[in-house]
Structure formats: C-alpha cells, structure tokens
Amino acid sequence: MFTGIIEGFGRVAQLQRKGGDLTLKIHAESLDMSDVKLGDSIATNGVCLTVTRLEGASYWADVSSETLAHTTLGHWQVGQTVNLEKALQPISRLGGHLVSGHVDTIGEICAIWPDARSIRYRVKVMPELMRYIALKGSICVDGISLTVTAREADEFELSIVPHTADGTIMSAYTVGTKVNVEVDQIARYLERLIAPQSAPAPSQESMLSEAFLAEHGFMGRR
C-alpha cells in the first residue's frame, strides 16, 4: 500500500526480456534504500514492484505479462526517469490517498497549458473508467496522488503546483505522453457494495422460523 507522495526519482538501468515477461533494474538515484529488503514493494511510476535483488542503490524486479499489458512499463527505455515511493508503514503520515500500485489503465496526456504558477494537464482515459473519477476526488497518475479539477466524458484535468512538478516526472510530460492511472479504491469498493447481488433464494430448510428455533432448543415451544 502506498500514499501517492513521491519520495524520489529512479532511472531504468536494465531491461531483460525473459520468455514473454520482463526483469528490470532500477537505480534509485534519490531514494533512501537503507531499509529496503528483499520482498519489499516499491511503487515505480505507480506500478507496485516486488524487490527480487538488491545491488547498492539499485533494485531488481520481475514484471509479469499481465503488468506489461496494462501499464506503460512495456514501453520503458533504459535511462528513463521514474517516480519512486516505498510501501506505506503504519506509522507514516497519509499525505495523499490510499494507493495499491495496481494500475487500472494507461492514460494519455492530451493537453497542457499554464495557469498562473501552476500547470494544467488534461488526461484521456477509457470512458468506462470515468464513473470512478469524481470532481475534487483523488486519482493516481504515474504513482502521484493528485486531485481531479474537472472531468468530461473520457477526460479529466489536473492542476499541478510548482512543488509537485519539480518533485516528480510531470514536468517532462508532453502531449501524447502515456501515463499509468489508478482510480480511488473507495470508488471501486462502493460500486461493488451497491451493485445488485444475484444470489439463489434460500431453500425452505435453511430459512429461520420459530418452529425451527424451537425444534433446535433455542426457544420454548408454544
């Protein structure tokens, strides 16, 4: 679990194709790796990766074909800069929102324009995902916890202050840049809770009644 508050930058050091999936090495240029152990999770541009090997300030991770199909990771290049965040600890401040690192879709930056000292970005995603994206709600883009400032049929907007632009890879975005998008988990769970449930009607034998309770000693017979 993560918060979407970027802790440092990394650089893609190696990419090794292996039988349909991938092994990659990330050099964590500005991330404190002193407490990272094998098996730990690190959000890398919003993708939850498990550390399989440590080499000084670098870590290795395996990437499944499923992850390659649903994230931008399959298009990464050696030397590319990525956002990094170590997994949330119970004692950490929750500065952003709860992020799983399980990417929902690949979005595309379709417009960028200045707004006073901020920068506005418009991101295009598949229309069916928009039901999870709320005005003023939280969204995770390349691992960054952000607030939705506007939404349309298949696009949402972000207003990025200078601190966020300087502390993440967003300042390098251009129109056409592909990004990893994860919607707010609360929206997904709410949909599941309120969705109609199709369950078979209980059989007559399983239904509780006064006669059933009396027969099994839970109340006196009348």
Side-chain angles (χ1 to χ4, degrees), residues 24-192:
L24 81 165
K25 179 183 180 182
I26 301 293
H27 180 60
E29 299 173 345
S30 59
L31 189 70
D32 178 11
M33 297 286 289
S34 61
D35 59 347
V36 176
K37 307 181 300 297
L38 292 182
D40 283 356
S41 296
I42 298 179
T44 309
N45 263 16
V47 183
C48 179
L49 297 179
T50 300
V51 175
T52 59
R53 187 171 20 146
L54 288 165
E55 292 182 0
S58 300
Y59 64 91
W60 290 81
D62 292 325
V63 183
S64 68
S65 57
E66 174 76 9
T67 300
L68 291 173
H70 294 93
T71 72
T72 62
L73 208 153
H75 304 286
W76 290 3
Q77 302 292 325
V78 172
Q80 178 176 334
T81 302
V82 289
N83 293 319
L84 300 179
E85 181 192 357
K86 293 183 290 188
L88 174 67
Q89 293 180 317
I91 60 172
S92 299
R93 290 187 179 91
L94 187 59
H97 69 286
L98 290 176
V99 175
S100 69
H102 303 156
V103 175
D104 290 295
T105 191
I106 297 174
E108 181 178 340
I109 305 297
C110 56
I112 304 173
W113 68 98
D115 181 12
R117 293 191 307 117
S118 297
I119 305 173
R120 294 266 188 170
Y121 295 86
R122 184 176 296 135
V123 186
K124 186 179 183 67
V125 295
M126 60 180 72
E128 53 267 35
L129 202 68
M130 292 301 297
R131 68 180 182 270
Y132 303 113
I133 300 174
L135 182 64
K136 304 303 180 184
S138 295
I139 193 81
C140 186
V141 176
D142 275 348
I144 313 163
S145 175
L146 300 169
T147 301
V148 177
T149 56
R151 64 183 303 281
E152 297 177 7
D154 59 353
E155 298 174 358
F156 63 90
E157 289 182 12
L158 307 165
S159 181
I160 306 303
V161 297
H163 177 81
T164 302
D166 293 341
T168 70
I169 64 171
M170 292 196 76
S171 60
Y173 288 172
T174 59
V175 172
T177 295
K178 298 295 194 297
V179 293
N180 294 316
V181 177
E182 178 186 337
V183 300
D184 190 0
Q185 293 186 57
I186 295 174
R188 286 190 297 202
Y189 283 116
L190 280 175
E191 181 185 54
R192 176 61 180 164

